[in-house]
């Protein structure tokens, strides 16, 4: 499971977490507002170098407040979210004036996530996309919350799950629609280099769809290794 405490930074791999009404606990709860585009967030689209920054929570997932949010820069410098130097570095890197925004643990608005609450891909689909692309594809390029391991390795079987419910322990997710891809998948999560051929492949082979969005129907806790059950809505 992956959550992204800071929008457009690298995600944090977690073994166990809460699923809130908006998605994984703290997912896209912190972000930079791009003051050159009022009301818009600064993302990898405007600043690909953001993908090299790592963000993770340190401590218990409380509903009253977040645990400390640690940011590690590409050169190994460690900051916390409130550090003024972090904002200064992002402004220098992006050549834009930014401001920081933080949403409470109980409510991250839809706009911060931009689409549905949760995004997932399957291992079979990822392997097939690598075959179609002709290169190894890091799952992190697609920024999923869940990477499901299938018993039957049927690529793109998730196309058949639209409108159905996924049950993971006590959590229920309604599969809503395909994930339409953009230039973000062309950015290598390690060095921020660009390769447009991946997006071209997704457009050609999958009508620009890869992965699926789901909405949280029933919150709860999930952990790595749990079985996922598909039920009719």
């Amino acid at each position: 499971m992956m959550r992204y405490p800071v929008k457009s930074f690298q995600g944090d791999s977690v073994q166990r977490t809460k699923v809130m009404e908006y998605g994984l606990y703290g997912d896209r709860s912190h972000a930079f507002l791009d003051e050159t585009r009022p009301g818009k967030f600064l993302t990898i689209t405007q600043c690909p170098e953001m993908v090299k920054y790592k963000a993770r929570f340190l401590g218990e997932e409380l509903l009253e407040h977040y645990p400390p949010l640690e940011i590690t820069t590409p050169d190994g410098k460690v900051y916390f979210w409130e550090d003024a130097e972090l904002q200064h570095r992002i402004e220098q890197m992006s050549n834009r004036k930014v401001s920081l925004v933080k949403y409470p643990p109980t409510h991250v608005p839809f706009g911060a996530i931009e689409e549905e609450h949760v995004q997932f891909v399957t291992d079979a689909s990822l392997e097939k996309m690598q075959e179609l692309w002709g290169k190894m594809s890091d799952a992190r390029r697609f920024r999923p919350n869940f990477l499901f391991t299938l018993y039957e390795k049927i690529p793109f079987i998730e196309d058949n799950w639209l409108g159905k419910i996924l049950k993971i322990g006590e959590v229920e997710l309604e599969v809503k629609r395909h994930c339409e891809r953009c230039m973000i998948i062309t950015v290598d999560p390690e060095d921020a280099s660009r390769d447009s051929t991946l997006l071209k492949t997704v457009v050609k082979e999958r009508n620009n769809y890869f992965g699926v969005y789901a909405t949280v129907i029933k919150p709860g806790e999930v952990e790595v290794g749990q079985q996922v059950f598909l039920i009719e809505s």
Side-chain angles (χ1 to χ4, degrees):
M1 293 184 293
M2 294 291 292
R3 67 171 166 220
Y4 306 85
V6 179
K7 188 175 178 66
S8 279
F9 280 7
Q10 279 192 32
D12 178 22
S13 177
V14 291
Q15 295 297 304
R16 183 182 181 89
T17 189
K18 296 181 178 71
V19 176
M20 310 294 288
E21 291 183 353
Y22 60 80
L24 271 59
Y25 176 93
D27 194 35
R28 277 84 168 187
S29 57
H30 299 64
F32 296 97
L33 289 173
D34 184 350
E35 299 297 340
T36 68
R37 303 180 305 133
K40 302 290 186 180
F41 297 105
L42 181 68
T43 72
I44 295 169
T45 302
Q46 295 80 40
C47 183
E49 293 291 318
M50 293 178 74
V51 78
K52 297 195 293 184
Y53 282 67
K54 301 176 181 179
R56 63 172 182 158
F57 290 118
L58 302 177
E60 184 180 356
E61 297 179 353
L62 302 175
L63 298 182
E64 297 78 17
H65 59 80
Y66 294 110
L69 177 54
E70 178 189 81
I71 312 297
T72 304
T73 69
D75 59 358
K77 179 74 174 177
V78 175
Y79 297 103
F80 288 93
W81 180 250
E82 297 81 6
D83 292 345
E85 180 61 24
L86 173 64
Q87 179 177 352
H88 180 64
R89 283 189 63 141
I90 298 301
E91 289 181 334
Q92 283 192 315
M93 180 175 66
S94 65
N95 197 29
R96 297 163 186 256
K97 177 69 176 175
V98 301
S99 57
L100 280 62
V101 61
K102 178 175 73 173
Y103 300 105
T106 54
H107 178 66
V108 176
F110 198 62
I113 303 170
E114 290 187 347
E115 303 292 348
E116 303 294 339
H117 302 155
V118 171
Q119 189 228 134
F120 66 85
V121 300
T122 66
D123 60 343
S125 296
L126 182 63
E127 290 167 8
K128 184 63 176 180
M129 184 52 62
Q130 289 179 161
E131 177 187 327
L132 294 171
W133 187 31
K135 302 179 183 180
M136 290 296 295
S137 179
D138 191 325
R140 293 179 298 168
R141 284 181 179 268
F142 300 100
R143 303 182 70 81
N145 296 115
F146 294 96
L147 175 59
F148 291 146
T149 300
L150 301 178
Y151 287 110
E152 293 185 72
K153 304 298 184 183
I154 304 175
F156 312 120
I157 187 65
E158 57 270 28
D159 290 351
N160 299 328
W161 299 349
L162 300 182
K164 298 182 180 180
I165 302 294
L166 296 179
K167 185 174 176 58
I168 313 172
E170 60 188 353
V171 172
E172 294 183 4
L173 309 171
E174 182 180 358
V175 184
K176 301 293 285 188
R177 59 192 180 87
H178 292 102
C179 179
E180 188 172 356
R181 293 301 174 172
C182 66
M183 65 73 61
I184 287 177
I185 69 171
T186 71
V187 180
D188 189 301
E190 285 298 323
D191 60 14
S193 61
R194 298 278 302 278
D195 188 337
S196 63
T197 60
L198 176 56
L199 182 57
K200 290 177 181 178
T201 300
V202 175
V203 170
K204 177 184 177 182
E205 302 290 346
R206 293 285 303 155
N207 196 30
N208 204 28
Y209 295 146
F210 187 79
V212 177
Y213 285 121
T215 291
V216 177
I217 302 300
K218 183 179 179 182
E221 292 196 352
V222 292
E223 61 181 298
V224 171
Q226 283 182 299
Q227 285 189 307
V228 181
F229 297 93
L230 183 68
I231 59 179
E232 297 295 332
S233 59

